[in-house]
């Protein structure tokens, strides 16, 4: 929505209505999300005019300002206009919003108190919300303040309209109306939407809140059906900025410039060295990414007048361009948030407008110069040289009056609008009917020099040297021709190659002077079997260095693919070195151009495939500049299809499209080729300390990498600083605490989505608290974005099963107890469709010692624990009823038989419920199910059911053959087993779980000592049994009466164990006393002190093992829970957060810190000894500079 100024601000008194208006007489213009429809509107005029851009068809909707308000209107600040795409074949929608001071100025709003808020909530959601009065968030309370503005929705159609006949809709009745004034805009139809062809989404935003309205047209009668109205709280930083501005007009302007298409930008860090920019997707209500910008000294000289920075997003939502308002433009990758390049334009004063145009190949720039004149510029972002061009008004086809109108853009911010690469500006206005005229800026043709376009063939020469194409077996003549008059540039066209050579020290005099690499530099080459056999006079290099670099990379891939068929390895290596030098020298001289080129073309894929180890290392580590940026998949590169990467690499297109550089390097991870994977992993992890976006591909590749652990990369990667020292640097300081328990890291989830004002979401939001400033420096992040998230839209394998689950889900919504009473099934999807965290192989030796991984586990624990409380309750019922009922039936009590039958039914239901869970796990995990704990779980439930069934049957029908004594013994043993199982079930609580694993660890470590001690006790016991077995023969008689403690072998062993309790003073046999003295020293003194010392050392180690055991247990439960279909507890706000944070506790992380320090100097690629290229070729700086000038068109081809 935009407009143009017609007259100065007027303050006229309406005698009829008795109110004052502060609005301006301006015409508003809006463009549809796809750029096909333009609407203009003036509130003082009689019509809303809608124009189809392609055909210039027009239609009008009657508008009467006096009828717009149903009651006495407020002070009007202005209006907002929006137009939708064509939906349902021919119909579109127009939205008009009247904006008041109260809508845009927080100082004009009288916020309601907490008691009024509670009354509103109770009135709206009767009995659905309780204990809400404790939440006093001011921003939330303001969303319930009524708006004085009004938004209306109108329908239009181009049916029967053409250029000469304008269809007018005389009915000015809106099809929808709601009481909210603000900046309105339609979102682009989502192709993923079920009914995207006849549905639209309208957004209305003011300083209090944002409202998103989903609208669907009926296919039969085109009546409008409002599907849903959702109110959202503005992002906290945006709300704070608007609150600080305190001016309704500036706030209106701020919101206008903060939203583009479906994206909402929050740009508030004006006083920090590192400026943070947040981008939200209004469609999904999620944070897209955080972008960082290093503020420069000259920023302080630029006054933004309470405005956000200037930004735009490419039509494919891939690139984000931003300017502070100075002469610097930064371009970022949306998916990672990483800056690609930041370019300073020396001949630009202040940037006022940006837009990607012509399939995102160019960036259109509007400048305000020092004399406050408007100038236009084009920036080619392909990476080519000579990529910046000023544009004259003749090129842009605007008159002096239209240029003058644009001068007012910054003042009135309504003369220009953009969408989908189209730019629309208002030109002039008809003072009589207020119908604004607009112009769509045409495609701007830039005349750039093409190398070779003016070349005329004078004479040709044939070369027969095999050295010029050493990769070919059959030697055929190679055509040669000088491309300039001074004979310094030689073109060669061979069997399957095109080469351009430049003389080194002096120009060639004849064709015979050319001597390959001896006196020439290779400056261009394309080797391909698909080269058309062109004649020399048709040779041209378009897009200068972009073409040269992409063709060089393709040539490297070709040479590697045909390595086995090459006869002259030495000559071939010269060409490889020459091609590498083309790339290296370009990077050295034009690093920013390389960065732009590298994010548009999948160049790294060619280098990986061609095993260009030295070049890859040079790009990643040989420069102060960060020259490479990760991208999630190759299909996101705009020129992927043009390059035909899949043909060059010989990999199926379907597989290659969804791959990335890391996955390609992993595919070739064999032998010395594994170093390429090491280079990339080291590069990403090293740079991730500045921005988590560097690790987007590591998240994706980690599961497969952990399965094989090539060259021990995973373990080394886990001890990189980013896995324990990555500081939290997001601008949002509001967190949900997910884990806060003893001996585990405290885990926090930052708020990364727009908060809906519906009661259920707000209740979840209440858990989020602002972090104290003294704690923030110690908050770290797990370096793996989206590590625990996965695509929830992926369907399960069985369609019939999915239909059944949908039915169960609908029933569960109405009857929540269905989810509780019936065990859930498992999702029928492949393992690769779950989150990377579930897929990854978790090595006990390394994985659970990593702070970031502990934080990930703890972040998923709360919802898992909540669900696991259901089986715990069922088991508690099972155990309690077993204890009560078995006692009753064994005692044969006759009272309360009716209630006893109910208890029996509940007992069997609980047992069957638990048994079904175990059986489903057994079917799901097959052989992996059979662990000690799982077998004990299964056996305890089965044993409990069997023993109670025997007790019940023996009591009711007196079954013969059941021995009561044996039954009581079996019941007592079963009770003990069930209580042990209860203890194991209580591992849900960290304190109990850690003690259980400490006990198990101690038992495991002292078992060898106990074996030694037991054998020693048996030995002493056996000897005493023999000694006391013949008292008459050795005159061994006690003076005291009593039983013989060594009467039987078992008594002898038990007595030896309790050696200190035996009194040998009554015996007069001196060898016995000597024997007893020796045994006392060994059994009591030595062994007792040994076990005390052993326990002390063992306990400290067991405490660490206990924590690892806890994490393993939690990880297993999380893995099981997140594979369940439709579990009882729905996803919370924090479940889909891409970021996981934790408090850095050195005491809990000391093991990782120690190991990380030991490995800090070891690189992932340290094992690789790189061979020195004996054929390394280096350009002469002076000579190659002349070539760059020539290829870019800055020097004539004389």
């Amino acid at each position: 929505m935009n407009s143009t100024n017609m007259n100065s601000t007027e303050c006229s008194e309406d005698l009829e209505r008795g109110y004052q208006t502060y609005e301006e007489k301006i015409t508003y213009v809006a463009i549809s999300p796809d750029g096909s429809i333009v609407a203009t509107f003036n509130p003082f005029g009689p019509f809303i005019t809608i124009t189809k851009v392609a055909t210039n068809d027009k239609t009008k909707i009657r508008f009467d300002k006096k009828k717009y308000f149903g009651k006495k209107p407020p002070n009007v600040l202005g209006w907002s206009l929006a137009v939708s795409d064509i939906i349902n074949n021919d119909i579109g929608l127009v939205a008009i919003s009247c904006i008041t001071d109260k809508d845009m100025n927080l100082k004009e709003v009288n916020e309601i108190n907490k008691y009024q808020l509670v009354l509103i909530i109770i009135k709206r959601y009767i009995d659905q919300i309780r204990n809400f009065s404790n939440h006093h968030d001011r921003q939330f309370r303001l969303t319930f303040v009524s708006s004085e503005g009004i938004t209306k929705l109108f329908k239009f159609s181009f049916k029967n309209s053409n250029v000469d006949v304008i269809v007018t809709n005389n009915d000015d009745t809106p099809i929808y109306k709601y009481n909210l004034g603000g900046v309105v805009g339609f979102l682009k139809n989502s192709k993923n939407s079920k009914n995207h062809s006849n549905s639209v989404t309208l957004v209305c935003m003011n300083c209090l809140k944002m409202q998103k309205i989903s609208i669907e047209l009926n296919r039969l009668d085109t009546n409008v059906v409002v599907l849903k109205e959702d109110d959202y709280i503005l992002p906290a930083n945006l709300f704070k900025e608007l609150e600080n501005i305190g001016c309704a007009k500036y706030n209106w302007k701020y919101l206008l410039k903060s939203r583009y298409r479906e994206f909402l930008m929050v740009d508030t860090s004006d006083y920090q060295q590192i400026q943070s920019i947040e981008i939200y997707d209004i469609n999904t209500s999620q944070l897209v990414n955080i972008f960082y910008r290093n503020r420069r000294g000259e920023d302080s000289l630029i006054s933004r007048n309470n405005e956000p920075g200037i930004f735009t997003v490419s039509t494919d939502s891939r690139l984000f361009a931003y300017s502070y308002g100075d002469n610097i433009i930064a371009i970022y990758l949306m998916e990672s948030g990483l800056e690609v390049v930041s370019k300073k334009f020396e001949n630009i004063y202040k940037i006022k407008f940006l837009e990607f145009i012509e399939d995102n190949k160019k960036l259109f720039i509007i400048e305000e110069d020092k004399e406050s004149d408007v100038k236009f510029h084009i920036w080619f972002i392909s990476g080519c040289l000579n990529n910046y061009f000023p544009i004259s008004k003749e090129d842009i086809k605007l008159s002096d009056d239209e240029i003058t109108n644009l001068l007012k853009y910054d003042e009135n911010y309504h003369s220009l609008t953009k969408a989908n690469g189209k730019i629309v500006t208002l030109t002039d206005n008809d003072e009589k009917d207020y119908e604004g005229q607009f112009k769509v800026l045409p495609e701007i043709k830039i005349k750039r020099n093409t190398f070779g376009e003016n070349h005329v063939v004078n004479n040709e020469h044939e070369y027969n040297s095999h050295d010029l194409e050493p990769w070919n077996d059959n030697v055929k003549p190679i055509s040669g021709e000088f491309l300039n008059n001074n004979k310094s540039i030689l073109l060669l066209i061979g069997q399957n190659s095109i080469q351009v050579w430049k003389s080194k020290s002096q120009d060639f005099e004849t064709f015979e002077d050319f001597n390959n690499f001896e006196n020439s530099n290779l400056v261009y080459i394309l080797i391909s079997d698909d080269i058309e056999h062109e004649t020399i006079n048709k040779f041209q290099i378009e897009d200068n260095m972009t073409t040269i670099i992409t063709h060089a990379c393709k040539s490297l891939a070709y040479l590697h693919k045909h390595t086995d068929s090459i006869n002259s390895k030495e000559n071939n290596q010269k060409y490889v070195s020459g091609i590498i030098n083309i790339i290296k020298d370009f990077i050295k001289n034009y690093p920013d151009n390389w960065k732009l080129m590298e994010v548009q073309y999948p160049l790294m894929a060619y280098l990986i495939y061609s095993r260009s180890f030295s070049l890859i290392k040079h790009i990643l580590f040989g420069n102060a500049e960060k020259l490479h940026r990760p991208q999630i998949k190759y299909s996101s590169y705009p020129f992927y299809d043009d390059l035909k990467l899949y043909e060059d690499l010989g990999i199926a297109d379907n597989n290659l499209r969804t791959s990335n550089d890391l996955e390609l390097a992993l595919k070739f991870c064999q032998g010395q080729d594994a170093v390429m994977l090491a280079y990339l992993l080291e590069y990403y992890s090293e740079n991730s300390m500045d921005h988590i976006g560097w690790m987007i591909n590591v998240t994706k590749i980690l599961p497969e990498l952990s399965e094989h652990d090539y060259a021990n990369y995973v373990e080394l990667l886990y001890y990189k600083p980013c896995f324990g020292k990555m500081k939290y640097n997001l601008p949002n300081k509001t967190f949900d605490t997910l884990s806060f328990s003893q001996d585990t890291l405290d885990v926090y989830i930052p708020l990364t989505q727009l908060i809906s004002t519906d009661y259920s979401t707000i209740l979840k939001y209440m858990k989020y608290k602002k972090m104290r400033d003294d704690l923030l420096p110690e908050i770290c992040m797990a370096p793996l974005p989206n590590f625990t998230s996965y695509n929830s839209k992926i369907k399960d394998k069985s369609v019939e099963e999915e239909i059944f689950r949908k039915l169960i889900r609908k029933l569960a919504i109405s009857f929540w107890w269905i989810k509780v009473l019936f065990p859930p099934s498992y999702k029928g999807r492949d393992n690769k469709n779950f989150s990377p965290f579930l897929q990854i192989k978790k090595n006990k030796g390394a994985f659970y010692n990593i702070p970031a991984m502990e934080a990930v586990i703890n972040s998923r624990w709360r919802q898992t624990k909540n669900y696991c409380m259901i089986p715990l309750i069922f088991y508690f019922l099972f155990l309690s009823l077993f204890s009560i009922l078995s006692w009753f039936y064994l005692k044969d009590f006759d009272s309360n038989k009716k209630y006893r039958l109910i208890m029996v039914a509940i007992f069997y239901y609980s047992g069957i419920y638990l048994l079904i869970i175990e059986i489903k796990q057994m079917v799901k995990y097959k052989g992996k199910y059979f662990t000690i704990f799982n077998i004990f779980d299964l056996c305890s439930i089965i044993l409990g059911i069997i023993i109670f069934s025997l007790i019940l049957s023996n009591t009711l029908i007196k079954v013969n053959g059941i021995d009561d004594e044996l039954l009581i013994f079996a019941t007592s043993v079963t009770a003990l087993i069930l209580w042990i199982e209860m203890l194991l079930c209580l591992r849900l609580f960290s304190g109990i779980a850690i003690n259980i694993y400490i006990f198990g660890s101690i038992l495991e470590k002292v078992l060898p000592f106990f074996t030694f001690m037991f054998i020693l006790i048996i030995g002493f016991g056996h000897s005493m049994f023999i000694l006391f077995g013949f008292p008459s023969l050795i005159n061994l008689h006690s003076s005291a009466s009593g039983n013989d403690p060594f009467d039987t072998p078992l008594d002898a062993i038990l007595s030896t164990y309790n050696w200190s309790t035996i009194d040998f003073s009554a015996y007069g046999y001196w060898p016995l006393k000597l024997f007893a003295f020796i045994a006392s020293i060994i059994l009591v003194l030595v062994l007792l002190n040994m076990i005390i010392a052993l326990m002390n050392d063992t306990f400290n180690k067991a405490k660490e093992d206990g924590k690892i055991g806890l994490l393993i247990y939690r990880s297993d439960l999380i893995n099981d829970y997140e594979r369940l279909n439709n579990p009882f507890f729905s996803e919370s706000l924090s479940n889909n957060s891409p970021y996981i944070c934790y408090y850095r506790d050195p005491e809990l992380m000391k093991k990782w810190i120690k190991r990380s320090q030991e490995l800090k100097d070891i690189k992932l690629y340290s094992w690789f000894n790189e061979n020195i290229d004996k054929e390394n070729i280096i350009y002469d700086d002076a000579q190659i500079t002349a070539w760059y000038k020539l290829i870019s068109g800055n020097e004539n081809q004389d």
Side-chain angles (χ1 to χ4, degrees), residues 691-754:
H691 198 297
I692 194 173
W694 289 100
M695 299 291 280
I696 55 173
N697 287 343
V698 179
T699 300
K700 187 178 178 182
I701 200 180
L702 204 53
E704 185 178 356
L705 187 63
S706 65
E707 286 290 334
H708 307 284
D709 197 6
Y710 297 97
N712 203 30
Y713 286 164
V714 172
E715 185 172 352
L716 290 174
L717 183 66
Y718 284 159
Y719 288 99
K720 293 296 177 182
C722 60
F723 280 86
K725 297 180 180 179
M726 182 186 287
K727 295 293 186 180
Y728 177 78
N729 55 3
L730 273 62
N732 199 333
K733 312 304 180 187
T734 305
F735 296 85
D736 179 17
T737 304
L738 289 186
S739 177
F740 195 87
S741 57
Q742 186 179 4
D743 296 328
T744 60
L745 293 175
D746 300 336
V747 178
Y748 306 92
I749 298 296
L751 183 61
T752 57
Q753 68 181 74
L754 301 174

Side-chain angles (χ1 to χ4, degrees), residues 286-341:
Q286 296 287 336
L287 176 71
V288 176
N289 228 314
I290 304 291
F291 307 88
Y292 301 116
R293 174 181 179 271
N294 286 314
R295 287 172 50 80
R296 310 192 184 198
E298 55 265 32
D299 286 353
S300 59
L301 304 177
I302 302 294
S303 175
R304 298 203 305 193
N305 296 322
N306 296 316
E307 296 181 21
I310 294 93
F311 82 101
T312 189
V313 179
S314 60
T315 56
D316 56 3
S317 302
R318 181 174 165 270
L319 298 177
F320 167 67
Y322 174 89
S323 175
Y324 185 79
D326 48 11
N327 62 346
I328 300 172
I329 299 175
I331 294 182
Y332 302 83
L333 287 170
M334 287 282 281
E335 64 183 5
S336 64
L338 298 176
E339 180 185 289
V340 178
V341 66

Side-chain angles (χ1 to χ4, degrees), residues 581-743:
N581 190 55
I582 292 174
I583 300 172
K584 279 187 176 181
D585 198 81
F586 175 70
I587 290 173
K588 182 182 74 173
N589 289 281
Y590 303 98
D592 284 349
N593 296 69
W594 166 266
K595 293 177 193 175
L596 285 170
M597 196 182 298
E598 205 258 354
V599 299
Q600 304 279 37
Y601 300 86
L603 302 182
M604 184 60 72
Y606 285 107
L607 305 186
I608 293 171
Y609 177 80
S610 61
R611 278 51 165 198
S612 302
F613 302 149
S614 62
L615 182 54
I616 294 173
K617 186 176 182 181
H618 175 77
I619 291 171
L620 300 182
F621 305 104
N623 299 269
E625 304 262 3
K626 297 181 177 68
L627 299 173
H628 167 68
R629 303 292 183 279
Q631 297 189 59
I632 290 179
K633 53 186 178 181
Y634 286 130
S635 61
S636 64
Y637 288 86
F639 297 97
Y640 168 83
D641 292 315
D642 293 345
L643 288 180
K644 296 182 179 179
L645 180 67
Y646 50 91
E647 291 184 2
D648 293 333
L649 272 56
I651 300 174
D653 182 36
N654 292 337
N655 296 331
L656 195 60
R657 279 184 177 274
T658 57
S659 297
N660 55 54
D661 293 331
L662 262 182
E663 289 176 304
L664 188 63
L666 180 60
K667 179 181 177 65
F668 302 137
C669 193
Q670 295 179 356
Q672 68 172 5
D673 294 348
V675 73
M676 297 185 295
L677 179 62
Y679 285 152
L680 290 170
L681 288 174
E682 184 71 34
Y683 178 75
Y684 294 149
S685 61
E686 183 179 287
N687 291 322
S688 66
M689 294 295 286
D690 298 325
H691 198 297
I692 194 173
W694 289 100
M695 299 291 280
I696 55 173
N697 287 343
V698 179
T699 300
K700 187 178 178 182
I701 200 180
L702 204 53
E704 185 178 356
L705 187 63
S706 65
E707 286 290 334
H708 307 284
D709 197 6
Y710 297 97
N712 203 30
Y713 286 164
V714 172
E715 185 172 352
L716 290 174
L717 183 66
Y718 284 159
Y719 288 99
K720 293 296 177 182
C722 60
F723 280 86
K725 297 180 180 179
M726 182 186 287
K727 295 293 186 180
Y728 177 78
N729 55 3
L730 273 62
N732 199 333
K733 312 304 180 187
T734 305
F735 296 85
D736 179 17
T737 304
L738 289 186
S739 177
F740 195 87
S741 57
Q742 186 179 4
D743 296 328

Side-chain angles (χ1 to χ4, degrees), residues 10-196:
E10 63 177 23
C11 182
S12 60
E13 189 169 284
D14 192 319
L15 298 177
E16 179 182 0
R17 293 185 176 271
Y19 76 100
Q20 285 188 330
T21 178
Y22 299 94
E23 63 178 312
E24 298 171 307
K25 275 190 176 181
I26 53 180
T27 298
Y28 296 79
V29 61
I31 186 170
S32 63
D34 65 0
S36 63
I37 308 294
V38 173
T40 57
F41 153 74
N42 191 303
F44 295 90
F47 296 108
I48 306 167
T49 305
I50 302 101
T51 306
K52 188 179 292 186
V53 174
T55 61
N56 205 33
D57 292 346
K58 294 181 182 293
T59 184
K60 292 185 177 182
I61 300 173
R62 187 170 295 280
F63 177 82
D64 188 345
K65 180 182 175 184
K66 295 181 179 180
K67 295 181 180 180
Y68 190 86
F69 300 98
K71 58 182 180 179
K72 179 180 177 179
N75 294 333
V76 176
L77 176 67
W79 299 74
S80 182
L81 173 68
V83 61
S84 74
D85 298 329
I86 294 296
I87 55 177
N88 202 12
N89 297 323
D90 187 55
I91 295 173
L93 300 176
V94 169
I96 295 178
S97 182
C98 178
I99 306 171
T100 68
D101 282 344
K102 186 176 178 181
D103 294 318
M104 289 297 169
N105 192 350
L106 289 166
K107 294 180 180 179
E108 299 289 330
V109 179
N110 296 318
E111 60 181 279
I112 60 178
N113 60 44
K114 61 183 179 180
Y115 303 107
Q116 291 174 312
L117 176 62
V118 174
L119 290 176
I120 293 173
I121 295 293
I122 293 175
K123 182 179 178 181
R124 183 174 295 184
Y125 305 111
I126 300 174
D127 294 332
Q128 291 187 344
I129 189 168
R130 298 177 181 176
N131 301 324
F132 201 82
S133 58
N134 292 328
H135 182 62
H136 313 319
D137 187 87
R138 177 172 180 264
Q139 190 179 353
F140 174 70
R141 296 201 306 274
L142 287 173
T143 62
F144 286 87
V145 176
S146 60
S147 171
E148 294 179 349
I150 297 176
T151 298
K152 291 186 178 182
L153 199 62
F154 301 89
K155 183 176 65 175
F156 68 85
S157 174
F158 288 104
K159 191 174 183 181
N160 300 322
S161 68
N162 53 56
V163 177
D164 300 321
V165 180
I166 300 176
V167 177
T168 302
N169 181 6
N170 293 317
D171 184 8
D172 59 355
T173 304
I175 56 177
Y176 185 67
K177 169 186 173 182
Y178 59 96
N179 294 322
L180 180 68
V183 177
V184 293
F186 286 97
L187 303 184
K188 192 172 183 178
N189 289 340
S190 174
K191 295 181 179 180
N192 297 325
S193 174
K194 185 178 180 181
N195 299 312
H196 71 272

Side-chain angles (χ1 to χ4, degrees), residues 359-561:
D359 296 327
N360 307 312
K361 296 177 182 178
K362 305 172 186 175
L363 192 63
F364 180 74
I365 307 166
I366 296 181
E367 171 207 3
E368 177 188 329
D369 64 13
K370 294 181 179 180
E371 288 73 33
S372 298
D373 292 332
V374 172
K375 292 184 178 179
F376 307 97
H377 309 267
I378 290 291
W379 180 20
F380 285 81
I381 57 173
S382 63
C384 60
L385 301 182
N386 196 19
N387 55 12
Y388 159 75
F389 296 89
I391 306 298
S392 67
K393 63 181 180 181
E394 289 78 16
D395 293 329
I396 208 167
K397 298 180 181 179
L398 289 177
S399 65
D400 291 337
D401 292 338
E402 291 165 350
I403 295 289
T404 303
N405 190 41
L406 282 179
L407 289 174
K408 302 176 183 178
Y409 169 68
D410 190 51
E411 178 184 350
N412 297 310
Y413 49 87
H414 297 305
S415 58
L416 206 60
T417 187
K418 59 185 179 181
N420 202 35
K422 290 186 174 64
I423 303 169
V424 176
T425 177
L426 283 169
T427 54
D428 57 1
N429 299 282
D430 190 333
E431 297 288 344
K432 296 180 180 180
D433 60 6
Y434 300 99
E435 183 179 352
Q437 301 298 318
F438 68 89
K439 177 179 286 187
V440 179
L441 297 190
E443 182 177 341
I444 302 169
K445 300 294 184 181
I446 304 294
K447 177 60 178 175
R448 295 194 297 164
N449 293 327
T450 299
F451 182 77
E453 63 181 342
N454 298 321
H455 172 66
V456 178
V457 178
N458 293 319
N459 88 46
E460 298 182 26
H461 179 77
E462 287 190 355
Y463 292 93
N464 294 312
S465 173
H466 182 72
D467 293 344
L468 296 178
E469 283 189 340
W471 52 86
N472 287 330
D473 294 332
N474 300 323
V475 179
K476 293 184 178 180
I478 297 174
S479 300
E481 170 65 19
F482 291 117
L483 292 179
N484 55 351
N485 295 331
N486 59 15
K487 298 181 181 180
S488 63
I489 308 294
L490 176 65
L491 168 67
L492 300 178
I493 296 182
Q495 181 178 339
N496 60 350
S497 72
I498 302 175
Q499 306 172 34
V500 176
W501 296 80
K502 187 180 186 307
S503 60
K504 285 185 178 179
S505 57
Q506 60 183 6
D507 299 337
F508 304 118
E509 294 183 3
T510 64
F511 286 107
E512 286 75 14
D513 290 341
F514 169 66
N515 190 19
N516 207 318
F517 288 98
E518 297 298 325
N519 64 350
S520 308
N521 287 318
L522 180 66
V523 292
Y524 169 81
I525 186 169
L526 173 61
I527 310 173
S528 174
D529 293 330
D530 297 329
I531 293 177
E532 296 181 3
H533 293 284
E534 301 176 349
T535 58
I536 289 180
N537 62 340
K538 289 184 178 181
F539 171 73
Q540 293 180 356
I541 298 179
E542 297 181 357
D543 215 10
N544 54 70
M545 287 305 297
T546 301
T547 301
I548 292 175
I549 296 300
T550 53
H551 285 181
C553 292
K554 289 169 74 72
S555 300
L556 283 175
Y558 182 93
L559 291 177
H560 177 78
K561 184 186 291 186

Side-chain angles (χ1 to χ4, degrees), residues 1078-1113:
I1078 296 172
S1080 296
I1081 293 175
I1082 295 174
L1083 297 177
V1084 179
L1085 185 61
V1086 177
L1087 289 183
L1088 181 61
N1089 284 280
M1090 281 181 66
I1091 196 169
I1092 291 174
L1094 182 63
M1095 284 295 185
N1096 286 334
D1097 294 337
T1098 303
F1099 182 79
N1100 294 327
K1101 181 65 172 66
K1103 194 172 181 181
E1104 296 179 4
D1105 293 342
K1107 180 182 175 181
I1108 293 176
L1110 171 66
L1111 294 176
I1112 293 174
Y1113 173 70

